[in-house]
Amino acid sequence: MNTNNITMMISQNWGGQEMISAGVETKISRLESIVEQIGEAVLSTTETIERLAQRVDALSVQVEAQGKQVQQQGFQIFALCDAVQSLAEAQQDSLQELSQLTQTVDKIVSLLQSSDQ
């Protein structure tokens, strides 16, 4: 090989190295861009999930409060039913006493009418 050939090969190799280096840098740059986009997407997703978690927490607090209200209303309904039952029993007792009183008054009226005759 002569010197010109060697010089030409060396210059081609150095030029090739520069081209390879430029291609690698381009690929690295693209990869960095992709990684950056993925990172932004992950951050955005994380923020969205955190907001959703806050909303779920707020909803669970509301559901728990409503559950307590429903339970309290159930107790009130039970107490109201018990009071209505007691009232019905008292009314039944009053009707029996009124019936006995009516019978007694009928007997008195009957005795009074028979003694007048």
Side-chain angles (χ1 to χ4, degrees):
M1 284 188 152
N2 64 27
T3 313
N4 285 337
N5 286 340
I6 293 174
T7 307
M8 196 160 115
M9 286 175 64
I10 291 174
S11 67
Q12 285 177 352
N13 283 340
W14 283 109
Q17 288 294 329
E18 289 174 4
M19 287 178 61
I20 290 172
S21 178
V24 168
E25 287 179 23
T26 302
K27 289 180 182 180
I28 290 173
S29 176
R30 280 192 233 156
L31 286 174
E32 287 174 347
S33 175
I34 290 169
V35 168
E36 183 179 346
Q37 290 173 357
I38 290 171
E40 290 172 359
V42 167
L43 287 175
S44 176
T45 302
T46 302
E47 290 171 359
T48 301
I49 289 172
E50 287 175 357
R51 285 193 303 270
L52 286 173
Q54 290 171 351
R55 289 180 184 172
V56 167
D57 287 345
L59 285 173
S60 86
V61 168
Q62 287 177 348
V63 167
E64 185 178 349
Q66 288 175 350
K68 288 179 182 179
Q69 287 176 344
V70 167
Q71 184 180 24
Q72 186 64 32
Q73 288 172 346
F75 292 147
Q76 291 171 346
I77 289 170
F78 179 78
L80 181 60
C81 288
D82 191 43
V84 167
Q85 180 67 32
S86 295
L87 182 59
E89 289 170 2
Q91 183 181 8
Q92 183 65 30
D93 291 344
S94 294
L95 285 173
Q96 286 176 354
E97 290 176 8
L98 184 58
S99 177
Q100 289 174 355
L101 182 60
T102 302
Q103 289 174 2
T104 303
V105 168
D106 283 344
K107 286 180 185 177
I108 292 173
V109 168
S110 178
L111 286 173
L112 286 173
Q113 286 176 349
S114 67
S115 70
D116 279 344
Q117 295 176 349

